[in-house]
Amino acid sequence: MAGWLARLPVRVRLTAWYLGLLAVILATLGSFLLLRLRADLVAETDQVLDTQAAGILAESDGGLEPMPAASVAGLPRGDTVAQLLSPTGEVRARAGTAVPAGSLLTPAMLRQVLASEQVRAEVRLGPDRARYRVLGLRRAGHGSPTVLVVAAPLSDVDRSVDRLQLLLLVAGPMALVLAGAGGWLLARAALRPVDQMTRQAGVIGAHRLHDRVSVPDAADELTRLARTLNGMLDRIEHGLVEQRRLVADASHELRTPLAVMRAELEVALRADDLSAADAEVLASTAEEATRMSKIVDDLLTLAHRDENNLELLLAPVDLGEIATEVTTQLRPLAQAGDVRLLVEAPPVPVVADQARLTQVVTNLVDNAVKYTGAGGSVRVRVWEQAGWGGLAVTDTGPGIGPQDLPKVFDRFFRLDAARTRVQGGSGLGLAICKELVEAHGGRIRAESVPGAGSTFSLTLPGRPPAAAHRTAP
């Protein structure tokens, strides 16, 4: 039960606990009122019986023994009944419309009256077993003592208690419903700042770390929570800024020595006196240096993008022409892997940085060719729709699982099951594609069916940058 409640929203839990507590309070208060009302009404009945008994005793002649039946017969008519009993329980006189022929007192009660001179109890009389309140008094005379018994019905008491009980049963649930609605509204009003902070925090990402949540104008727990969240965001922003600065600075510093290393390796590879083993080592080292240079360039691109310093030379370009050039360059790689490379690229004008867009298309097609098995195919298709240009790269490779698909554009994310490290790559290619496409005002997405291949598609604006930030189709 506790686990089930813990999964409910805070607003629902607050209302539920409030209603539960209120229900316990109402039940306790209702029970107290019922018991108190019954006790008060029974006390009033006892006072009536005391008055009636005192009147009967006052009308009787104290010297007579036993008490004359006439005094009992003078009792007011109605449901009130009276009996005059002998010490053995014999009824010597009686009065009232519902008085039974037998004694109103049990032998135990009779003995108690004879011993203590008074007893109060509840008995049931008549065929319908109606409840009566009984008062028994012992009167000592010149001879053997006699017992006066007066009884009054408790039907009025029961009716009053039943009416109050019915009222509580009807009004209680209505009060709970109204209180629940009020509690829901109060909880919603109290948690409105939390909802606002949640919405604001939900849109804060890596590119909006300067945003902060609103601080309520009050000195309460929510204000402290908002300030704590803002403090945490300050620390996260500071840490990421420092990390990005480190990556950018390291990338800048590494570009020059890597370029020098590559140049020296190329010069060394042209030497005529190299042995085959030395040439193989130098070639492998040059290949790794080239790979490191590409990683450094990618990191530098991401660092510029994070700092909003990525320079794009936007101009009208033909997306179909770029797709054709890229597939032509990568066709030998596809043929070496026994992969069919198909292209459908009509002229489609877009506004983009040609070098950056070529880098994106090359990454997408290169990935598709590398991760499509022998005998498979890669299809590159270009289209135009509603003023936007689109390109899709579809392969027949192993596909991507649904648990990994949302993460394929994350930095350094690798699908080791399908894309092994034997094929190289740093896990930055698709992240670079995403950042470059979004920097152009476009969108990129991935679709995949495990075992049936994947499709990576992008859309770019076909108009100048002023209109480039519309939602892509």
Side-chain angles (χ1 to χ4, degrees):
M1 183 65 177
W4 177 76
L5 284 176
R7 291 191 293 269
L8 294 176
V10 175
R11 189 179 306 167
V12 176
R13 279 185 282 161
L14 286 176
T15 305
W17 283 113
Y18 170 72
L19 285 180
L21 179 60
L22 182 60
V24 172
I25 294 175
L26 289 179
T28 304
L29 180 61
S31 301
F32 172 77
L33 290 177
L34 290 173
L35 293 176
R36 185 70 264 175
L37 176 63
R38 175 176 172 77
D40 291 343
L41 293 178
V42 169
E44 291 180 3
T45 303
D46 288 339
Q47 291 179 359
V48 171
L49 293 178
D50 289 340
T51 302
Q52 291 178 344
I56 294 173
L57 293 176
E59 292 176 3
S60 64
D61 187 354
L64 293 178
E65 182 59 39
M67 180 181 294
S71 61
V72 179
L75 193 68
R77 289 290 181 180
D79 289 334
T80 304
V81 298
Q83 289 181 339
L84 192 63
L85 304 178
S86 67
T88 61
E90 178 186 357
V91 179
R92 294 183 176 179
R94 59 182 179 172
T97 57
V99 63
S103 172
L104 290 172
L105 300 180
T106 63
M109 293 179 184
L110 184 59
R111 289 192 298 269
Q112 184 179 354
V113 172
L114 292 173
S116 61
E117 298 186 354
Q118 179 177 314
V119 69
R120 296 182 190 275
E122 292 183 9
V123 297
R124 292 186 177 273
L125 301 178
D128 56 351
R129 307 295 294 167
R131 294 192 313 114
Y132 277 73
R133 184 68 172 174
V134 171
L135 170 63
L137 297 174
R138 175 180 177 274
R139 179 180 183 279
H142 298 288
S144 61
T146 56
V147 176
L148 173 63
V149 183
V150 290
L154 295 176
S155 55
D156 290 341
V157 175
D158 292 338
R159 279 194 296 270
S160 298
V161 173
D162 289 343
R163 281 197 297 268
L164 178 59
Q165 183 176 358
L166 179 62
L167 178 63
L168 292 175
L169 290 176
V170 173
M174 294 179 61
L176 286 177
V177 171
L178 294 177
W184 175 269
L185 294 177
L186 288 176
R188 185 174 66 176
L191 294 175
R192 187 175 292 117
V194 177
D195 292 336
Q196 183 179 3
M197 285 187 282
T198 302
R199 290 193 300 270
Q200 293 172 343
V203 299
I204 297 176
H207 300 297
R208 297 185 58 176
L209 285 177
H210 59 280
D211 292 349
R212 295 295 181 267
V213 300
S214 301
V215 178
D217 188 16
D220 57 10
E221 291 80 0
L222 296 181
T223 300
R224 293 197 297 271
L225 174 62
R227 289 174 178 169
T228 301
L229 288 175
N230 286 337
M232 179 184 67
L233 290 173
D234 289 338
R235 294 189 295 272
I236 293 175
E237 181 182 16
H238 178 74
L240 284 180
V241 168
E242 292 297 324
Q243 179 185 12
R244 290 170 178 173
R245 184 178 295 114
L246 174 63
V247 172
D249 293 345
S251 300
H252 278 294
E253 295 298 326
L254 287 173
R255 293 183 73 183
T256 299
L258 283 174
V260 172
M261 183 186 301
R262 290 172 59 190
E264 292 178 349
L265 288 171
E266 290 175 1
V267 171
L269 284 171
R270 295 193 184 100
D272 297 332
D273 57 347
L274 283 178
S275 65
D278 292 340
E280 182 180 357
V281 171
L282 289 175
S284 176
T285 304
E287 182 180 350
E288 292 300 321
T290 301
R291 180 171 174 269
M292 289 179 62
S293 296
K294 183 178 183 306
I295 294 175
V296 169
D297 289 340
D298 288 344
L299 289 174
L300 191 58
T301 299
L302 292 175
H304 287 161
R305 172 62 176 162
D306 290 337
E307 296 176 355
N308 294 321
N309 292 329
L310 183 63
E311 295 182 359
L312 296 177
L313 302 178
L314 298 179
V317 297
D318 187 348
L319 182 58
E321 180 180 347
I322 292 177
T324 301
E325 292 177 356
V326 169
T327 53
T328 299
Q329 294 174 359
L330 295 179
R331 194 173 298 279
L333 176 64
Q335 292 174 348
D338 191 19
V339 176
R340 290 185 302 160
L341 185 56
L342 310 174
V343 60
E344 180 184 340
V348 174
V350 294
V351 176
D353 184 317
Q354 183 166 356
R356 295 295 190 181
L357 183 55
T358 301
Q359 180 183 358
V360 171
V361 177
T362 301
N363 278 343
L364 294 179
V365 178
D366 182 65
N367 279 351
V369 170
K370 286 181 178 179
Y371 305 125
T372 299
S377 63
V378 174
R379 181 188 179 197
V380 181
R381 185 172 65 91
V382 178
W383 75 89
E384 183 179 12
Q385 180 182 1
W388 290 77
L391 178 142
V393 180
T394 303
D395 62 58
T396 58
I400 304 170
Q403 72 279 4
D404 295 324
L405 192 60
K407 299 182 287 187
V408 293
F409 294 108
D410 292 348
R411 300 176 186 184
F412 300 104
F413 178 75
R414 300 175 61 92
L415 293 170
D416 290 336
R419 305 181 176 193
T420 63
R421 296 187 181 274
V422 175
Q423 294 165 315
S426 61
L428 292 175
L430 291 178
I432 292 287
C433 292
K434 177 178 181 293
E435 297 294 346
L436 291 179
V437 171
E438 291 183 351
H440 282 80
R443 298 288 184 272
I444 186 170
R445 56 181 175 268
E447 301 173 355
S448 181
V449 177
S454 306
T455 297
F456 289 83
S457 58
L458 61 89
T459 51
L460 294 172
R463 297 183 180 181
H469 293 286
R470 296 177 301 158
T471 302

